[in-house]
Amino acid sequence: PPVIYYGTRTHSQIKQIVSELERSPYRPQMSILGSRERLCCNSEVLGERGGTLRQRCRSAVKEDRCAHHARLADADFAKGLHAKYLPYHGHGVFDIEDLGKFGREQIGCGFFASQVMAADAQIVFCPYNYLLDPVIAKSLKVNAKESIVLLDEGHNIESTCRDAGSADICILKLICLLYTSDAADEEDSA
């Protein structure tokens, strides 16, 4: 069956829709994709923000300095994450705070656990920029092909797509790029 991706503008909206799911009898295998800022439990990188946090996390993982991630790299351990969650929480529905707590207390990194769980989930909740921004989607291994994609509050999608397709460039960097490009052109013509 196809995976259902449910995208919202914010994590607080995800919390609301998960609350509604919890009230229903439907108990799909699920995951919530969230940021490192919300789900990381590595004391080496905690306290950092934005690009610094991402870079330090990637370095810790690459250099095998993150025991939280290492546990999830074990395929046998990672394979049963949904089953491991059930006795912990009592049922299969959780919000991002639950996932972060479960990660810290039971399984390791909630950030990477959410991706492992998404691989065999029936429904995946995430901010919709995770679906619409190709860089984010690729980094989180989101593959919406042959899936059902639901986007809550669709009137915000245009600005999200615009943000995903644009960049802020410092004028000094732009001047350096132009200068470097001009210099390369002069070398090519010489």
Side-chain angles (χ1 to χ4, degrees):
V3 174
I4 299 170
Y5 284 97
Y6 193 104
T8 67
R9 192 171 49 86
T10 66
H11 280 292
S12 61
Q13 290 169 322
I14 292 173
K15 187 176 180 97
Q16 290 171 349
I17 196 69
V18 167
S19 174
E20 292 300 316
L21 177 61
E22 197 168 22
R23 292 174 18 164
S24 82
Y26 182 50
R27 293 292 177 261
Q29 286 194 156
M30 63 170 284
S31 187
I32 299 176
L33 298 177
S35 66
R36 285 175 174 88
E37 286 90 350
R38 289 184 166 272
L39 294 171
C40 178
C41 60
N42 184 340
S43 60
E44 182 182 324
V45 299
L46 284 176
E48 301 291 346
R49 289 283 174 241
T52 304
L53 175 75
R54 283 188 296 277
Q55 188 56 43
R56 292 199 58 202
C57 172
R58 286 182 186 128
S59 294
V61 168
K62 186 177 179 180
E63 297 165 10
D64 292 324
R65 291 182 289 114
C66 183
H68 307 289
H69 175 268
R71 235 176 136 187
L72 293 166
D74 175 354
D76 291 331
F77 178 82
K79 192 166 93 178
L81 282 183
H82 286 103
K84 288 175 179 60
Y85 187 79
L86 286 171
Y88 174 78
H89 195 265
H91 55 77
V93 178
F94 53 88
D95 64 24
I96 195 141
E97 287 81 14
D98 295 330
L99 179 60
K101 184 177 179 186
F102 178 56
R104 287 186 300 277
E105 294 178 0
Q106 301 287 321
I107 58 167
C109 179
F111 175 73
F112 290 106
S114 70
Q115 294 172 51
V116 169
M117 292 172 85
D120 65 349
Q122 295 164 312
I123 186 166
V124 177
F125 298 95
C126 60
Y128 50 63
N129 62 318
Y130 289 25
L131 298 166
L132 300 173
D133 186 321
V135 173
I136 296 172
K138 184 179 178 183
S139 74
L140 294 176
K141 299 177 183 88
V142 170
N143 183 4
K145 289 181 182 174
E146 300 181 24
S147 298
I148 297 169
V149 177
L150 303 171
L151 300 174
D152 196 3
E153 291 198 27
H155 62 275
N156 292 307
I157 294 170
E158 183 180 350
S159 63
T160 300
C161 290
R162 189 174 34 252
D163 290 346
S166 62
D168 293 330
I169 300 173
C170 170
I171 190 70
L172 292 175
K173 285 184 180 182
L174 185 58
I175 291 169
C176 288
L177 285 171
L178 289 172
Y179 177 75
T180 304
S181 175
D182 288 345
D185 288 344
E186 287 176 15
E187 285 180 22
D188 287 344
S189 63

